[in-house]
Amino acid sequence: MHLDRKNIEALEQRYRAALINSITGFKSLALIGTENSKKQSNLAIFSSLVHLGAHPPLLGFIVRPDSVERHTLSNIEENGFYTINHIHESFYKSAHQTSARYPKEQSEFDACGIRKIYRDNFLAPFVENSPLQIGLEVRKIMPIELNQTILVIGEIQHLYFDETAIAEDGFVDLERLGSITCAGLDAYYTTKKIARLSYAKPDRPINER
Amino acid sequence: MHLDRKNIEALEQRYRAALINSITGFKSLALIGTENSKKQSNLAIFSSLVHLGAHPPLLGFIVRPDSVERHTLSNIEENGFYTINHIHESFYKSAHQTSARYPKEQSEFDACGIRKIYRDNFLAPFVENSPLQIGLEVRKIMPIELNQTILVIGEIQHLYFDETAIAEDGFVDLERLGSITCAGLDAYYTTKKIARLSYAKPDRPINER
């Protein structure tokens, strides 16, 4: 099947959204927790997380301007802090439900039955049952003028997960933690490890670790 | 296990890189194919793809400035076009091998035994065995000054995949295509679908499709 730029342009809007959202591949999936200055909390599901660097430890995510994600952005602009929480299969339906258009004064934690927890005086709520929780401070909000999306970049301040998941070399076993992945706008997946591979060098064959 | 900003800062460099690269979650994985003006081709593995929008259809990825990924960026700057190719389990070791530091005059297609294919006069090579192939034209190269990484944004010009993988609503079944995902710097995974869920609305329960 071959679709070119004109074929894609001619597709019905929702069909095109489903198609183009699918082809990025399996995506990093998380719930982002925020709070405004009046302690009104918000929780929203994102599949646009991207690793930006380890030193300093930076993560980015994309906000669409015309969506429910807007509440997340306005809270981050107001408060400066937010949490990224991995999603476990046990609560993926509740996590998906946070994408509904709730009014701003209603917290998705309450509306979707997801328990929040505050840790170490951090100024944004974590998802209590999340297998890996990250607390971040916003560092940069970069508008992408091409399509009015926004890249939000944060620096990791706190990291919580079960210590049995970390390997000797620092690798965190997400499968052991039960983190799931997604594709498109609404498909959720567990994973099965094929292998970890050795560091690649031009003159040496790849080995499984 | 709790790590704060100071704990992370104090970690040994490679341990920190493995840790921070792990916690983004499972990632979108692809081989990016490019060519310079002398038709010298390059192929590199990336796990930093991010969906930016469906209309126009935009995809982004992150380039680290001090890495082998630099050849990809310089070819895109020179040529303006590139391909994003999903990775199938059948060639994931060869795909990983493209991350070795080959000299610029050596093509990873040849060095790693990955066959290239040219399609529809597009000015960059595709991976022949890739289950989903995307041809893009670069639209914006955005430096991220915080850590000298670069966000490369491209618009989709061509899309190729087996038509049996597309659903009635435009969703592309990546599992059926055999696209794989990754975590950290070196771990590869197949997936198992849990479910597709219905569009979330505040007053309606979520259903499986």
Side-chain angles (χ1 to χ4, degrees):
Chain A
M1 183 164 179
H2 174 213
L3 293 170
D4 68 13
R5 185 69 190 81
K6 282 181 187 168
N7 302 142
I8 295 169
E9 177 70 32
L11 296 172
E12 187 274 322
Q13 184 190 338
R14 278 173 299 185
Y15 187 98
R16 183 174 53 225
L19 171 72
I20 302 299
N21 273 277
S22 296
I23 61 168
T24 321
F26 295 100
K27 296 184 276 192
S28 301
L29 181 68
L31 285 164
I32 298 190
T34 55
E35 223 169 61
N36 68 13
S37 56
K38 293 171 185 163
K39 306 275 178 194
Q40 166 71 44
S41 64
N42 187 276
L43 189 67
I45 192 165
F46 282 83
S47 62
S48 59
L49 270 62
V50 64
H51 169 81
L52 289 177
H55 193 219
L58 299 175
L59 278 180
F61 71 96
I62 304 292
V63 178
R64 293 169 298 164
D66 59 343
S67 71
V68 294
E69 303 170 3
R70 220 24 229 203
H71 297 166
T72 298
L73 181 62
S74 62
N75 285 350
I76 291 173
E77 286 172 331
E78 206 170 308
N79 168 311
F81 295 89
Y82 57 105
T83 69
I84 290 179
N85 307 270
H86 283 205
I87 297 171
H88 187 275
E89 185 177 355
S90 60
F91 63 89
Y92 83 103
K93 284 187 185 175
S94 311
H96 184 76
Q97 182 64 38
T98 65
S99 63
R101 292 181 179 269
Y102 292 104
K104 186 156 190 174
E105 61 277 11
Q106 188 172 13
S107 171
E108 290 81 6
F109 281 103
D110 302 330
C112 306
I114 295 175
R115 281 208 302 270
K116 66 181 165 186
I117 184 168
Y118 292 90
R119 291 176 175 280
D120 297 299
N121 298 314
F122 193 71
L123 290 173
F126 294 90
V127 171
E128 187 174 29
N129 292 332
S130 167
L132 190 148
Q133 305 162 2
I134 313 170
L136 300 101
E137 182 170 2
V138 67
R139 284 283 174 256
K140 186 86 180 172
I141 293 176
M142 288 177 67
I144 298 174
E145 289 172 13
L146 275 172
N147 69 345
Q148 289 79 54
T149 53
I150 294 151
L151 172 62
V152 179
I153 302 175
E155 186 172 334
I156 298 172
Q157 306 296 319
H158 294 282
L159 194 51
Y160 305 90
F161 56 91
D162 192 297
E163 63 185 355
T164 61
I166 196 160
E168 274 184 13
D169 64 352
F171 172 77
V172 180
D173 187 339
L174 301 180
E175 197 164 67
R176 182 169 183 147
L177 289 174
S179 299
I180 63 171
T181 179
C182 72
L185 294 162
D186 53 26
Y188 297 89
Y189 300 83
T190 55
T191 57
K192 186 167 183 335
K193 192 191 285 179
I194 305 168
R196 287 189 69 195
L197 297 181
S198 58
Y199 188 80
K201 296 200 169 187
D203 54 353
R204 212 169 56 179
I206 289 286
N207 294 308
E208 297 186 15
R209 281 176 190 255
Chain B
M1 182 165 179
H2 173 212
L3 293 170
D4 68 14
R5 186 68 190 79
K6 283 182 187 166
N7 302 141
I8 294 169
E9 177 69 33
L11 295 173
E12 187 273 324
Q13 184 191 337
R14 278 173 299 183
Y15 187 98
R16 182 175 53 226
L19 172 71
I20 301 300
N21 273 278
S22 296
I23 61 167
T24 320
F26 295 99
K27 295 183 279 194
S28 300
L29 180 68
L31 284 164
I32 298 190
T34 55
E35 224 169 59
N36 67 13
S37 55
K38 293 170 186 162
K39 305 273 178 197
Q40 166 70 46
S41 64
N42 187 276
L43 188 68
I45 190 165
F46 282 83
S47 62
S48 58
L49 269 63
V50 64
H51 169 82
L52 289 176
H55 194 220
L58 298 175
L59 278 179
F61 70 97
I62 303 292
V63 178
R64 294 169 298 164
D66 59 344
S67 72
V68 294
E69 302 170 4
R70 211 41 219 198
H71 297 167
T72 298
L73 180 62
S74 61
N75 286 351
I76 291 173
E77 286 171 331
E78 208 171 306
N79 168 311
F81 296 89
Y82 56 105
T83 69
I84 291 180
N85 307 270
H86 283 206
I87 297 171
H88 187 274
E89 184 177 357
S90 60
F91 63 89
Y92 82 104
K93 285 187 184 176
S94 310
H96 184 75
Q97 182 65 37
T98 64
S99 63
R101 292 181 179 269
Y102 292 102
K104 186 156 191 175
E105 62 277 12
Q106 189 171 13
S107 170
E108 291 81 4
F109 280 102
D110 303 329
C112 305
I114 295 174
R115 282 207 301 271
K116 66 180 165 187
I117 186 168
Y118 294 89
R119 291 177 176 279
D120 297 300
N121 297 315
F122 194 69
L123 291 173
F126 293 89
V127 171
E128 187 175 28
N129 293 330
S130 167
L132 190 148
Q133 305 162 1
I134 313 170
L136 301 101
E137 181 170 3
V138 68
R139 283 285 175 252
K140 186 86 180 173
I141 294 176
M142 289 178 66
I144 298 174
E145 290 173 11
L146 275 172
N147 69 345
Q148 289 78 55
T149 52
I150 294 152
L151 172 62
V152 179
I153 302 175
E155 185 172 333
I156 298 172
Q157 306 296 318
H158 294 281
L159 193 51
Y160 305 90
F161 57 91
D162 192 295
E163 64 186 355
T164 61
I166 196 159
E168 274 185 14
D169 64 351
F171 173 77
V172 180
D173 188 338
L174 301 181
E175 196 164 68
R176 182 168 182 148
L177 289 174
S179 298
I180 62 171
T181 179
C182 72
L185 295 162
D186 53 25
Y188 296 89
Y189 300 83
T190 56
T191 56
K192 186 168 182 336
K193 192 191 286 180
I194 306 167
R196 287 189 70 194
L197 297 181
S198 57
Y199 189 80
K201 295 202 169 186
D203 54 353
R204 209 168 59 179
I206 289 285
N207 294 308
E208 298 186 15
R209 280 173 191 259

